[in-house]
Amino acid sequence: MRKIIVLSMITLDGVMQAPGAPEEDTSGGFKYGGWVAPYFDEVYGKVMEKQMKPADLLLGRKTFEIFADYWPEHENVWPGINDVTKYVMSTTMEKSDWKNSVFLKSLADIEKLKNSKGSDIQVHGSGELIQLLLKNDLVDELWLKIHPLTLGKGKKLFDNGTIPAAFTLIESSVTPSGVIIANYKRAGKVKTGTVGA
């Protein structure tokens, strides 16, 4: 069985929309694209480098289109990105010129992929796909970069369909610019109790 790892840059209020650039995703009138840029420093860069090791990718259609437009010409920044398998969840796309792209149509396709043999599978961006994965308890790890700002509006990491689930912190650090980097592993059901009892 393969692990599905969600990597996400989020704000304190959980917004994940368009972290990289102003024109990345302006849907819904979003005007804060590129909100990660002021927090990028050497420590942040080293974490990104570590997380960009070759692994198969599972992407939603919109994120795939952004990636396919950029990464084939910038493999020096993300070595191996062109060689790994890119699994794309889409009901409208069926092919791409970007090599090693495989198109999935349903939740059953994702479950079959997860139960196959191979490397860990990373999910970047892909808000709607992440909602589907969380709703169906298919996320094994969350690798979050939590930025010290709120945006109020925008697509959120935890939105419709997130189920009650416990996670264990497996690694964490804080960058000089105040970004909390926290990696969590799925850890069973939510436990409750009374504080101080």
Side-chain angles (χ1 to χ4, degrees), residues 31-156:
K31 54 183 182 230
Y32 298 106
W35 48 267
V36 161
Y39 302 97
F40 205 87
D41 55 33
E42 192 178 335
V43 174
Y44 200 119
K46 284 200 164 104
V47 169
M48 291 289 290
E49 204 175 290
K50 183 179 170 188
Q51 293 183 348
M52 290 164 89
K53 296 289 182 226
D56 288 346
L57 303 178
L58 174 59
L59 306 169
R61 181 188 55 80
K62 291 176 198 162
T63 300
F64 175 78
E65 287 176 338
I66 293 168
F67 275 34
D69 190 47
Y70 181 82
W71 286 115
E73 307 302 318
H74 297 87
E75 189 175 16
N76 59 314
V77 182
W78 192 344
I81 182 70
N82 291 322
D83 297 322
V84 300
T85 305
K86 279 75 69 177
Y87 296 97
V88 189
M89 181 68 170
S90 174
T91 54
T92 56
M93 279 184 90
E94 294 184 354
K95 60 185 174 110
S96 169
D97 292 335
W98 196 11
K99 69 177 181 177
N100 301 328
S101 297
V102 175
F103 292 86
L104 309 178
K105 297 286 181 200
S106 67
L107 179 63
D109 289 342
I110 296 173
E111 289 170 336
K112 188 176 172 185
L113 174 63
K114 183 169 171 38
N115 288 316
S116 67
K117 288 190 171 141
S119 71
D120 291 346
I121 302 163
Q122 293 187 356
V123 182
H124 297 260
S126 310
E128 288 177 32
L129 172 60
I130 290 171
Q131 302 308 320
L132 180 70
L133 295 172
L134 289 169
K135 186 178 186 176
N136 290 280
D137 202 10
L138 293 171
V139 175
D140 297 289
E141 293 183 12
L142 293 165
W143 293 4
L144 306 180
K145 289 179 266 313
I146 306 159
H147 296 69
L149 78 159
T150 57
L151 294 177
K153 292 184 177 175
K155 295 173 184 170
K156 305 248 172 133

